Amino acid sequence: MRPPFLFHIYVAASAMLVPFFAWIETRKLRAAGVPIVRAHEKLGHATEPRSGSGSLVWFHAASVGESLSVLSLITEMGRLVPRAHFLMTSGTATSAELVAKRLPPRTAHQFAPLDAPGPVKRFLAHWRPDAAVFVESELWPQMLRRTKQSGARMVLVNARLSASSRAAWARRPKTAAYVLDSFDLILTQNDEMAQAMIEMNAPADRVARGINLKSLAPPLAQDPAVLAQVRTNLKGRPVWVAASTHKGEEEIILAAHKLLLESHPDLLLLLAPRHPHRSADIARLLDQAGLSFAVRSDGEMPDVNAVYLADTLGELGNWYALSDAIFLGGSLKPIGGHNPYEVALAGRSVLSGPEVHNFSETYEEMHRGGAVVYVEDAAQIASAVDRLLSDQAVIDASGRAARDFIRGKSSQLTTIAERLVAALDLKVQDR
């Protein structure tokens, strides 16, 4: 397929602008504590050698959630193809930090190169991937086309594009067709997205429904030392968790907590906002609400405070282990909801607002099985939390529903891994 004129314009523009974007990305990584040599991976300068034996399978996942979602898949593919090696790329310092602690055997991590001629060429020249797996929504045109031209087999998994992204690609049908033609197989999260991909001019015979890989991720990591310290400090106090909350949601959560304190005066709200940098704004809300609080990033413990502001990254696994009542944010406002699998993997049901279109099919399935309870305001949140705090039978039933849901998904891991191994021609090469 010939590249459309718009693709040529994009390549030329990216070549001119790469110094500017390199400065921005390098500065961002350096500010997050990434060494300068690793920050230069964004320019395609590798910091690890390529293994000379076996096939190299490259996984690219942009965000923390996407990165963690493929770890179990890489592990299973590594079991099926024991001579293969794996490279994982992502874009943020947070994803790199979390993934580094949980890398499967024979797997390296690098920051993904900028989508410009120089960085992509250097990256591919060093790593020479035999196969590439792109996750969810990372459709960088040059990265995809140059990887295709290198001869690597390519798969898009967990495909999910927002309505705005689909509309943008729809305005550029020739470019969309050219980019999506890179893939030998496209596995979407649901039937609706499969149809959307075809409408975007993806080859219909290469599009199929897969499974949401987030359901295959390992449970969130826990730190036994942190858990022991917090539990000792709590001295048996009951806890409920509001996780991944956004602006406009904390006010509702705090109103619910005030209602709960009337019947549970020693109750602790563990509030973990989606974006920790909003900590100061949330602290002001807590002051205005007249609620005492401690701040995790300041090294404080909950003590006798009404709220523990957990404004750190990578600790949700600890907080989920402390309570059976977990509200998941991004759902009371039109944000689309957040990953409910992480809560279910902890053996807990989810309390959620109604705005969950990013995971609509998942929430519907979990709700049918009793693993999700929908709430719309402070009174409903307080009522649902009160039931979980007061009735062991409700706790047992909801936890069982969550575990049953996850058990049904995890059984598909080997099936998905075998499908990718076949699509990427890895069996022929390495077994």
Side-chain angles (χ1 to χ4, degrees):
M1 181 179 291
R2 293 174 59 85
F5 181 64
L6 185 59
F7 181 81
H8 290 296
I9 294 177
Y10 174 78
V11 172
S14 68
M16 289 189 295
L17 293 173
V18 69
F20 173 69
F21 286 111
W23 177 77
I24 291 177
E25 291 296 317
T26 301
R27 185 181 181 189
K28 191 185 302 181
L29 291 177
R30 294 290 290 130
V34 176
I36 187 65
V37 66
R38 287 224 58 194
H40 283 172
E41 291 169 9
K42 286 279 188 177
L43 294 173
H45 297 294
T47 57
E48 293 199 28
R50 184 201 192 279
S51 174
S53 61
S55 295
L56 179 72
V57 184
W58 169 27
F59 275 77
H60 175 65
S63 69
V64 172
E66 294 169 15
S67 299
L68 295 178
S69 74
V70 299
L71 294 178
S72 295
L73 182 58
I74 292 175
T75 300
E76 182 64 11
M77 289 179 67
R79 185 186 69 81
L80 294 171
V81 192
R83 291 186 60 234
H85 291 259
F86 300 88
L87 170 67
M88 190 170 185
T89 60
S90 60
T92 67
T94 302
S95 64
E97 180 182 354
L98 294 179
V99 165
K101 300 174 183 176
R102 308 172 75 173
L103 281 177
R106 310 192 308 277
T107 304
H109 176 273
Q110 299 277 277
F111 288 108
L114 295 170
D115 198 44
V120 174
K121 285 180 181 178
R122 281 190 289 271
F123 176 88
L124 292 174
H126 176 83
W127 291 105
R128 305 186 312 281
D130 299 283
V133 180
F134 293 82
V135 183
E136 289 207 12
S137 57
E138 282 288 275
L139 300 181
W140 293 108
Q142 291 185 81
M143 188 185 293
L144 296 179
R145 289 308 307 183
R146 291 184 186 277
T147 302
K148 178 74 171 179
Q149 291 161 10
S150 74
R153 299 277 295 181
M154 297 172 61
V155 173
L156 176 63
V157 298
N158 231 38
R160 180 176 69 88
L161 293 175
S162 66
S164 58
S165 294
R166 296 200 299 267
W169 283 106
R171 291 192 295 270
R172 303 164 180 86
K174 292 183 179 179
T175 303
Y178 181 65
V179 170
L180 293 174
D181 184 63
S182 304
F183 296 109
D184 298 285
L185 176 64
I186 297 174
L187 295 177
T188 66
Q189 293 187 9
N190 51 46
D191 292 331
E192 177 188 358
M193 189 53 60
Q195 184 59 39
M197 284 288 172
I198 294 171
E199 291 172 356
M200 286 170 55
N201 293 318
D205 60 339
R206 302 182 215 166
V207 177
R209 176 174 178 164
I211 184 175
N212 193 319
L213 293 183
K214 289 184 171 68
S215 67
L216 306 179
L220 292 177
Q222 299 177 8
D223 186 328
V226 169
L227 276 172
Q229 183 184 28
V230 175
R231 283 183 171 132
T232 299
N233 181 270
L234 289 174
K235 299 177 182 177
R237 289 177 64 191
V239 179
W240 74 288
V241 177
S244 295
T245 57
H246 288 253
K247 182 178 181 180
E249 294 186 317
E250 285 90 7
E251 293 89 341
I252 301 171
I253 295 299
L254 297 184
H257 189 51
K258 282 190 164 184
L259 292 173
L260 285 161
L261 288 173
E262 295 174 5
S263 54
H264 303 274
D266 61 342
L267 178 63
L268 174 71
L269 165 62
L270 204 157
L271 179 58
R274 181 70 172 183
H275 303 294
H277 65 79
R278 296 183 53 243
S279 179
D281 293 334
I282 298 171
R284 281 191 288 272
L285 290 176
L286 288 162
D287 280 330
Q288 293 167 8
L291 292 167
S292 62
F293 63 95
V295 181
R296 174 66 178 165
S297 62
D298 291 340
E300 298 173 348
M301 284 286 106
D303 295 323
V304 295
N305 294 286
V307 179
Y308 192 34
L309 179 52
D311 57 344
T312 53
L313 290 171
E315 293 197 289
L316 272 181
N318 295 328
W319 313 145
Y320 288 169
L322 291 172
S323 179
D324 293 297
I326 299 173
F327 171 83
L328 194 55
S331 59
L332 291 171
K333 299 295 179 179
I335 294 164
H338 291 302
N339 179 6
Y341 295 108
E342 292 176 345
V343 181
L345 282 161
R348 276 43 170 194
S349 62
V350 179
L351 303 180
S352 172
E355 301 283 353
V356 291
H357 56 264
N358 288 339
F359 296 88
S360 57
E361 290 188 359
T362 301
Y363 273 90
E364 288 173 10
E365 183 179 352
M366 291 178 69
H367 183 249
R368 288 195 302 271
V372 164
V373 173
Y374 288 117
V375 290
E376 297 188 8
D377 54 30
Q380 291 184 13
I381 295 171
S383 176
V385 172
D386 179 67
R387 289 187 69 209
L388 285 165
L389 293 174
S390 307
D391 192 332
Q392 187 61 45
V394 173
I395 293 174
D396 293 342
S398 63
R400 187 164 53 249
R403 291 188 292 271
D404 288 346
F405 171 77
I406 288 298
R407 193 177 299 115
K409 299 298 180 184
S410 60
S411 63
Q412 302 179 54
L413 175 60
T414 300
T415 301
I416 293 295
E418 289 175 343
R419 189 170 189 178
L420 291 187
V421 166
L424 297 171
D425 281 347
L426 294 175
K427 281 187 176 179
V428 174
Q429 297 173 25
D430 288 325
R431 295 205 69 180

